[in-house]
Amino acid sequence: MSARRRAIGAHYGVSEWALQLLTAVVMIVCAIWLAGAWLLVQPDSHARLAEFIGSELVRLPLMLLILALVWHAWIGAKSVMMDYLPWDWFRLVKLTGAACYLIVCLIWAVAVLWGVA
Amino acid sequence: MHFSIYRYNPEDGRDPYMQDYHVDVKPSAKMLLEALVQIKDELDDSLSFRRSCREGICGSDGVNINGKNGLACITPLADIRQPVTIRPLPGLPVVRDLVVDMSQFFKQYRSVRPYLLSDEPTPQRERLQSPTDRAELDGLYECILCACCSTACPSFWWNPDKFVGPAGLLQAYRFIADTRDSRINERIDNLEDPYRLFRCHTIMNCVDVCPKGLNPTKAIGKIKEIMLKRSF
């Protein structure tokens, strides 16, 4: 095989794989923190729940968890589509749809978290 | 014993079908390959399959046995549930009956340049290695290229033209781990790609079916680790 025709990588891929691992770790840490906070406070009414979520010690880790989840879901969705959708145009449409859905979810989460208290 | 075997002959114009065979396997027959040879000898000489060394070294007789890939020559008849369903290795084009076209598999294998690339001058005798460095190659060099692993991998089924597959990646790591090879960066560059390497999702079918007991998933994990370390 001549050097001109040698197979080489596209020089990316490792960053997405590492980010998927990193976002998974962030989600685990935040989930443990939030579960602990829930067990400590155990809000028993809507008002106390709103107060609980409104506290910066809960709201910020919760937002971080949602951000990590959205990013993780985006990399995962992209990966699944790369696996199973060989047609570029169809993959582009599906990826655009997934990106729009995840952005809407993120905006909604911000609106809920900063709208409760 | 009762066998149900995949039949396909592109020359007769029929769709592929499963054909049943009932055979009184000779008492001396211990392995599946011997039963297949007996079927061909006594019942149907049109049945096609590959075989050569008949002792798990050449990797010619990889087939799908009751839904799981394996080598017919080292699959004991006593351990197989009946009826024994035998199909060609999945995911590769069928040439005839149990014979598949392995061109795509070998194309991916060749793409990792599975041979030593050294910038050191060629020595008079062999290139020496310490016992510790040599031990790094255990579990990697034993691959016989039977394709059982790659054809059990869903990622290879979907992207055989882009994903190197477990067999190719195991061989890629075999030379990355070899201290006599001096092109590790070039080899990693070759694989740093969302398709060539990162279609592996650690499903581990490859580990489950490898007739030599090798672990391509572990080798792929080590390539990813080296790639990650190189990024920092």
Side-chain angles (χ1 to χ4, degrees):
Chain A
M1 194 185 295
S2 74
R4 285 171 62 84
R5 293 184 60 80
R6 190 174 298 151
I8 55 157
H11 297 284
Y12 75 97
V14 69
S15 52
E16 291 206 330
W17 174 72
L19 272 172
Q20 202 166 25
L21 292 186
L22 182 70
T23 50
V25 171
V26 168
M27 279 193 288
I28 291 170
V29 171
C30 289
I32 292 171
W33 174 271
L34 291 168
W38 177 275
L39 287 174
L40 275 176
V41 178
Q42 296 193 355
D44 53 5
S45 64
H46 181 266
R48 289 202 61 191
L49 182 65
E51 190 187 343
F52 174 74
I53 294 174
S55 144
E56 294 304 321
L57 285 174
V58 171
R59 185 155 55 188
L60 291 178
L62 191 54
M63 194 59 229
L64 190 60
L65 187 145
I66 292 167
L67 266 174
L69 177 66
V70 165
W71 206 340
H72 194 83
W74 167 244
I75 296 170
K78 206 160 81 169
S79 190
V80 169
M81 287 176 208
M82 283 170 76
D83 277 340
Y84 300 120
L85 304 179
W87 317 279
D88 290 346
W89 66 271
F90 190 48
R91 199 162 63 219
L92 184 65
V93 170
K94 297 289 271 186
L95 279 171
T96 309
C100 292
Y101 174 73
L102 289 171
I103 289 168
V104 168
C105 287
L106 192 61
I107 293 168
W108 193 13
V110 171
V112 169
L113 286 183
W114 268 266
V116 287
Chain B
M1 285 187 79
H2 179 195
F3 293 87
S4 176
I5 301 179
Y6 180 97
R7 303 302 311 271
Y8 172 63
N9 180 356
E11 286 163 15
D12 69 12
R14 287 180 66 182
D15 287 339
Y17 59 97
M18 299 300 290
Q19 185 165 351
D20 287 336
Y21 296 96
H22 292 271
V23 59
D24 292 325
V25 179
K26 292 172 188 164
S28 61
K30 300 286 181 236
M31 301 295 173
L32 176 60
L33 180 63
E34 292 164 85
L36 285 174
V37 171
Q38 193 179 337
I39 292 170
K40 189 171 174 71
D41 284 348
E42 297 174 6
L43 301 177
D44 187 349
D45 63 0
S46 71
L47 178 65
S48 300
F49 53 88
R50 287 195 181 107
R51 90 280 178 273
S52 184
C53 76
R54 55 107 179 99
E55 52 191 24
I57 301 296
C58 71
S60 303
D61 61 347
V63 284
N64 186 275
I65 309 153
N66 283 343
K68 188 174 172 180
N69 292 353
L71 296 180
C73 61
I74 54 169
T75 302
L77 283 168
D79 296 350
I80 318 177
R81 179 178 38 83
Q82 290 190 57
V84 186
T85 305
I86 306 174
R87 295 172 186 272
L89 291 174
L92 292 178
V94 178
V95 176
R96 180 173 166 152
D97 298 339
L98 302 176
V99 178
V100 289
D101 178 359
M102 294 177 68
S103 312
Q104 191 67 64
F105 172 79
F106 283 114
K107 194 176 167 191
Q108 291 295 1
Y109 172 64
R110 279 195 298 274
S111 79
V112 304
R113 302 212 280 168
Y115 39 83
L116 198 76
L117 293 167
S118 176
D119 296 329
E120 300 294 319
T122 310
Q124 287 293 318
R125 300 181 69 181
E126 73 267 39
R127 295 178 193 272
L128 296 174
Q129 219 179 5
S130 73
T132 320
D133 289 344
R134 167 62 188 77
E136 286 293 312
L137 308 182
D138 287 340
L140 304 172
Y141 76 91
E142 298 94 332
C143 176
I144 56 171
L145 298 174
C146 61
C148 285
C149 59
S150 290
T151 57
C153 174
S155 293
F156 191 75
W157 296 340
W158 281 95
N159 292 294
D161 54 334
K162 301 192 201 88
F163 177 49
V164 173
L169 291 170
L170 184 84
Q171 287 309 300
Y173 182 64
R174 181 251 173 273
F175 288 95
I176 287 168
D178 195 324
T179 50
R180 296 165 298 180
D181 193 279
S182 48
R183 303 279 184 87
I184 180 168
N185 267 321
E186 211 174 290
R187 292 186 185 279
I188 295 290
D189 282 346
N190 178 318
L191 297 172
E192 193 171 349
D193 181 279
Y195 276 102
R196 285 179 62 69
L197 173 71
F198 287 97
R199 286 308 89 206
C200 171
H201 302 304
T202 328
I203 298 166
M204 295 180 80
N205 278 4
C206 52
V207 182
D208 187 38
V209 300
C210 178
K212 306 300 281 184
L214 307 180
N215 192 335
T217 306
K218 192 175 166 191
I220 293 168
K222 287 191 172 176
I223 298 174
K224 288 177 180 173
E225 209 179 292
I226 292 169
M227 235 173 236
L228 195 59
K229 280 181 186 161
R230 196 178 72 153
S231 308
F232 292 106

